[in-house]
Amino acid sequence: MKKTIFVTLIILFVMNISVISFSQTSDSVNIPVYISVPSYAAIDSVDKERLDYELDLSSPENKNEEVKIKIVANTAFEINVEFDAEESNFNEQNQALFELLNSSYNYSLNSNDSSSGVIEKTVQVGFNFQQVLDSNPEMRELLLESGEYNDKVGNFVFTVSPAV
């Protein structure tokens, strides 16, 4: 009889352990997972390697050049165009030219969006000397006194960044 009770207790004990094990394996836990996707915007290609202007200030005209820029982005972005005059090339005599270049550059921007994330922008860059000189006759006189200038005057800089 003792053996039967002992065997019965062992069977009950084994059944309890298997039920406890089974209940533990069926539990579930939710662990939150966060994925961070960085935003980016970058110039993919530019269809002109160089923009060389022949600037004749004796008869200033609005000279424009079309530049096509392909931008790859996964977020909203901004494009900024600046003219970077190389100040070290200018001395006191042609400081008026430096000021004219910085005050007369202009640009306009057109956009073609695509579903693939590649956006094509067309940028018109140029100088509007006539308006600046018409509004500032003193600068015109300073430029005429300076004479001819045949060195590089600066670069157009295109910067693409994610919109804030």
Side-chain angles (χ1 to χ4, degrees):
M1 179 90 171
K2 285 184 176 182
K3 282 188 174 186
T4 318
I5 292 175
F6 182 72
V7 170
T8 307
L9 284 175
I10 288 180
I11 291 174
L12 286 174
F13 182 69
V14 169
M15 286 177 61
N16 279 340
I17 289 177
S18 66
V19 168
I20 290 171
S21 297
F22 180 74
S23 68
Q24 286 180 347
T25 58
S26 67
D27 286 346
S28 63
V29 177
N30 291 330
I31 300 173
V33 177
Y34 298 96
I35 298 174
S36 176
V37 179
S39 63
Y40 66 88
I43 293 176
D44 184 38
S45 66
V46 178
D47 78 343
K48 293 205 177 201
E49 190 173 312
R50 295 177 55 134
L51 293 176
D52 291 333
Y53 286 92
E54 294 293 327
L55 303 176
D56 182 6
L57 296 181
S58 61
S59 59
E61 296 173 357
N62 187 12
K63 168 104 175 166
N64 281 319
E65 196 75 43
E66 183 177 280
V67 184
K68 286 187 180 171
I69 298 174
K70 283 188 180 176
I71 297 166
V72 179
N74 70 344
T75 184
F77 65 92
E78 297 172 350
I79 184 166
N80 189 29
V81 181
E82 294 177 83
F83 179 72
D84 181 23
E86 295 185 358
E87 190 171 6
S88 60
N89 291 349
F90 297 100
N91 55 31
E92 283 182 26
Q93 290 177 336
N94 46 33
Q95 192 64 29
L97 176 58
F98 175 74
E99 291 172 19
L100 175 68
L101 292 169
N102 279 326
S103 61
S104 66
Y105 85 90
N106 57 47
Y107 69 94
S108 63
L109 199 58
N110 297 321
S111 178
N112 297 327
D113 295 353
S114 72
S115 60
S116 64
V118 177
I119 294 136
E120 196 168 307
K121 299 268 186 190
T122 303
V123 183
Q124 287 273 346
V125 293
F127 295 93
N128 194 356
F129 298 122
Q130 193 64 54
Q131 283 182 339
V132 174
L133 292 177
D134 286 346
S135 66
N136 192 346
E138 293 165 356
M139 185 178 286
R140 181 188 297 268
E141 292 301 318
L142 286 171
L143 288 168
L144 289 173
E145 288 173 15
S146 301
E148 196 170 319
Y149 186 82
N150 288 321
D151 290 334
K152 179 180 173 182
V153 293
N155 296 303
F156 278 103
V157 179
F158 301 92
T159 307
V160 173
S161 59
V164 180

